[in-house]
Amino acid sequence: MRRTYLGEFEEVVLLMVAILDGEGYGVTVSQALEEHTGRIVTFGTVHNTLIRLEEKGFVTSELGGGTTERGGRRKRLFRVTALGSRALQDIQQLRQELWQLIPPKTVQLSGL
C-alpha cells in the first residue's frame, strides 16, 4: 500500500484546514493551532505550509470577498482536496494500527 508522508506540522495544518471547513486562511489556521494545540506559530510559517500543501495537491485555495475590516483585502481561503482527505485518513489508520501494536505495559497512564 502506498502511504502518504507529511511532516508533523504539515499534518497538523492540514487537520486545521479540515476542521475550519472552507473558512481556513493564514490567520484562522494560526488561531486554531493555538486554540487546539497550544502552539504559537508565526503567520508566515503557517502561510508557507499552506502554500506547500497546495503545491502537493492536499489543499486548494480561492480568494474570498474583500472586507472593510481588512481594508478591502481579500482572504485566500483553503479547503482540503480529495487527495488531502485521503492522506488524513491514511495517517489516522496508520497511527491507529501502530498504537494497537504497543504492548499494554509499555505505555501506561501514570501521574507524570
Side-chain angles (χ1 to χ4, degrees):
M1 173 194 302
R2 182 173 178 259
R3 294 279 184 191
T4 302
Y5 297 99
L6 291 173
E8 185 269 343
F9 190 69
E10 289 179 322
E11 178 186 342
V12 173
V13 169
L14 186 57
L15 282 167
M16 293 305 144
V17 172
I19 290 167
L20 292 167
D21 193 24
E23 298 297 321
Y25 62 99
V27 171
T28 56
V29 171
S30 295
Q31 291 170 339
L33 271 168
E34 184 175 351
E35 178 184 342
H36 296 290
T37 69
R39 292 170 78 167
I40 299 173
V41 182
T42 65
F43 170 80
T45 300
V46 170
H47 181 74
N48 289 339
T49 303
L50 288 168
I51 297 302
R52 192 168 52 251
L53 288 171
E54 187 169 33
E55 290 171 353
K56 292 179 176 182
F58 295 120
V59 297
T60 187
S61 70
E62 62 183 28
L63 289 174
T67 62
T68 54
E69 67 186 13
R70 293 176 42 88
R73 290 180 300 138
R74 300 166 70 186
K75 300 173 187 171
R76 178 161 295 283
L77 300 169
F78 291 86
R79 181 176 295 277
V80 176
T81 63
L83 180 64
S85 178
R86 179 62 197 213
L88 288 175
Q89 291 171 13
D90 288 349
I91 290 166
Q92 181 185 34
Q93 180 181 349
L94 175 63
R95 289 179 187 252
Q96 286 175 339
E97 288 170 4
L98 293 174
W99 274 98
Q100 295 300 318
L101 296 174
I102 297 174
K105 291 184 178 181
T106 302
V107 177
Q108 295 180 353
L109 295 176
S110 64
L112 294 178

